[in-house]
Amino acid sequence: MAGSAGWTDATTAGYPATGGAQGWGSGQTPSEFLENPSQSSRLIAPFRKHVRPKKQHEIRRLGELVKKLSDVTACTQVVDVGSGQGHLSRFMSLGLGLNVKSIEGDQRLVGRAQHLDRELLQTLEKEDRRNPQGVQASPRRSPHHVVRWVDPSALCEELLLPLENSPRGGTRLLLTGLHACGDLSVALLRHFSRPEVAALALVGCCYMKLSDPGGYPLSRWVAALPGSQLSYRLREGACHALEEYAERLQDEAPGLRTHCYRAALETAIRGARPELRRPGVQGIPRAHEIKIEQYVRRGLQRVGLDPQLPLDAAALRAQQAQENRVVAFFSLALLLAPLVETLILLDRLLYIQEQGFHAELLPIFSPELSPRNLVLVATKQPLGQAFSVLETEDG
């Protein structure tokens, strides 16, 4: 079968509650990682190289869904927006035989993606020479990479342009994004209304980076709800992984102390620069193993403040004594995360439906591996029972 090089036959499918393959905690372990926790049994070795287990799971599941969606909607081209190093694009094109344009704003990542394309093609060609009977009939096509920032407030013509090798008779595009960050998801939703676009498969993330206003709410229905606005803190909380955090609480992980340290750092920042709110603080490695004063000074330096600012040692000790209360507060706030994410995703679904199109939210990833595990699938024509086929594991 053309394009079958991307996966191997699996003896099992789905996500049985077998518990505890190394590296995945005590939750459900996807069957593809039961034999080896770092290598998916559903991908052949060339497609696993340079790809972490989480990403292996994501590109396989989303890639297979996109292939099915492309088939049922008769799309001629897939556009992967925010493609990064191109792992999803590479699997869809070289593994599943799809015609793929890959759009990424970072030139460095595009260069890396093109290097990995060449490396994978060479590996697959070597395998073809070793096993000429298994060579697919049609020639392999690497993704077509484009360096372009996509502005959520403007039309991106490049996103809608067909590739030179697209079939004649009218271009039908399928837009996809794997964890499209913040307003990039909004851009894909807005481009879906274009006549060239026939389908959409979108997995969003980084809700705290949505423009306010502009990124949420999108639908008239949610916008009309009293109190529908979501603060930065609520949107940021919706990005956390409940499953992983629950394990940390059960194990009383020492890393939980970082919540208290970060709260103390915020107090110091606001004391020095009251107008500086929610500064991005680059991660401090093994923060829980250092003293609170060291953490605060390193944090001050990371946000551009003087790390030698005078600190009240007694106040810091008093703040550290509140560690359990800080963890309890964070845990309670985290309980709202699924509710907030549901509201954001339903807003997007309603935005599509209010335009007269068809949309569903489908669970696609194992939440233990990929907490942002819902894909928004949208089409111009009703698919009926085909929607349920999209989320079914390939055998």
Side-chain angles (χ1 to χ4, degrees):
M1 175 174 122
S4 62
W7 63 86
T8 56
D9 291 333
T11 56
T12 58
Y15 307 119
T18 54
Q22 182 181 356
W24 299 126
S26 58
Q28 292 181 324
T29 303
S31 60
E32 62 192 300
F33 293 105
L34 290 177
E35 296 179 7
N36 187 325
S38 64
Q39 296 184 5
S40 168
S41 62
R42 305 293 297 277
L43 289 173
I44 62 173
F47 287 92
R48 297 194 300 254
K49 189 175 182 181
H50 306 298
V51 185
R52 293 181 179 181
K54 175 179 180 290
K55 184 69 75 172
Q56 293 176 30
H57 176 70
E58 291 168 347
I59 64 172
R60 182 186 68 81
R61 291 289 285 127
L62 183 57
E64 290 175 353
L65 181 144
V66 167
K67 178 68 167 69
K68 295 174 185 176
L69 183 60
S70 177
D71 289 343
V72 299
T73 56
C75 287
T76 60
Q77 178 180 313
V78 175
V79 185
D80 181 12
V81 184
S83 54
Q85 296 185 52
H87 296 308
L88 174 63
S89 293
R90 205 156 26 254
F91 175 63
M92 292 191 297
S93 59
L94 295 173
L96 301 177
L98 293 168
N99 201 23
V100 180
K101 177 188 285 188
S102 177
I103 297 181
E104 168 59 46
D106 188 329
Q107 174 68 66
R108 180 182 54 85
L109 293 178
V110 171
R112 173 67 173 164
Q114 292 171 327
H115 169 78
L116 294 176
D117 289 351
R118 292 189 293 269
E119 183 180 283
L120 177 59
L121 264 177
Q122 291 173 358
T123 300
L124 295 175
E125 288 169 355
K126 288 180 182 178
E127 291 190 356
D128 289 345
R129 289 194 290 271
R130 285 197 297 264
N131 181 26
Q133 291 80 17
V135 177
Q136 61 186 47
S138 58
R140 292 191 175 93
R141 295 175 299 202
S142 295
H144 176 75
H145 295 279
V146 177
V147 181
R148 183 65 54 86
W149 287 102
V150 178
D151 184 348
S153 62
L155 181 69
C156 179
E157 294 290 350
E158 178 60 52
L159 191 150
L160 302 171
L161 289 177
L163 295 172
E164 292 182 0
N165 59 357
S166 294
R168 294 183 178 181
T171 301
R172 291 175 59 83
L173 302 178
L174 190 160
L175 306 184
T176 190
L178 175 54
H179 293 142
C181 182
D183 284 341
L184 187 57
S185 289
V186 177
L188 289 175
L189 290 164
R190 289 176 173 156
H191 280 78
F192 176 70
S193 63
R194 296 285 298 181
E196 305 95 321
V197 181
L200 171 73
L202 172 63
V203 182
C205 75
C206 301
Y207 306 126
M208 68 285 194
K209 295 183 180 180
L210 291 169
S211 296
D212 186 14
Y216 167 89
L218 296 172
S219 68
R220 296 188 299 273
W221 192 87
V222 171
L225 288 175
S228 63
Q229 294 301 317
L230 297 173
S231 67
Y232 175 94
R233 182 66 188 87
L234 283 172
R235 287 183 281 121
E236 192 274 335
C239 297
H240 288 277
L242 286 182
E243 292 80 9
E244 185 269 341
Y245 194 76
E247 288 189 9
R248 292 173 63 193
L249 288 174
Q250 291 172 346
D251 297 340
E252 297 183 358
L256 293 169
R257 180 176 303 133
T258 306
H259 293 312
C260 181
Y261 281 15
R262 181 63 181 85
L265 171 61
E266 189 69 18
T267 301
I269 291 172
R270 295 194 182 190
R273 288 267 306 276
E275 74 281 5
L276 185 58
R277 298 298 181 96
R278 298 192 295 268
V281 181
Q282 185 181 0
I284 299 174
R286 309 188 72 82
H288 60 282
E289 296 181 357
I290 62 178
K291 293 182 178 180
I292 189 170
E293 181 178 347
Q294 291 176 290
Y295 178 93
V296 170
R297 293 198 182 282
R298 292 183 189 179
L300 289 171
Q301 187 173 23
R302 277 167 163 73
V303 298
L305 297 177
D306 183 1
Q308 299 305 318
L309 285 173
L311 299 175
D312 187 332
L316 288 176
R317 287 194 298 271
Q319 290 168 348
Q320 187 166 3
Q322 304 296 317
E323 178 180 320
N324 289 338
R325 296 182 68 186
V326 173
V327 171
F329 177 82
F330 185 85
S331 301
L332 289 172
L334 205 57
L335 291 176
L336 295 173
L339 176 62
V340 175
E341 182 174 29
T342 298
L343 180 57
I344 293 171
L345 295 180
L346 284 176
D347 173 57
R348 295 175 176 183
L349 181 143
L350 290 169
Y351 172 73
I352 295 292
Q353 293 180 343
E354 286 175 353
Q355 298 175 70
F357 304 134
H358 307 271
E360 295 279 352
L361 284 165
L362 304 176
I364 185 173
F365 306 136
S366 171
E368 285 76 19
L369 270 69
S370 185
R372 309 279 74 73
N373 71 323
L374 294 174
V375 57
L376 176 62
V377 176
T379 60
K380 297 292 178 65
Q381 302 297 327
L383 292 185
Q385 293 300 315
F387 268 119
S388 62
V389 175
L390 295 177
E391 61 180 314
T392 304
E393 280 271 11
D394 287 346

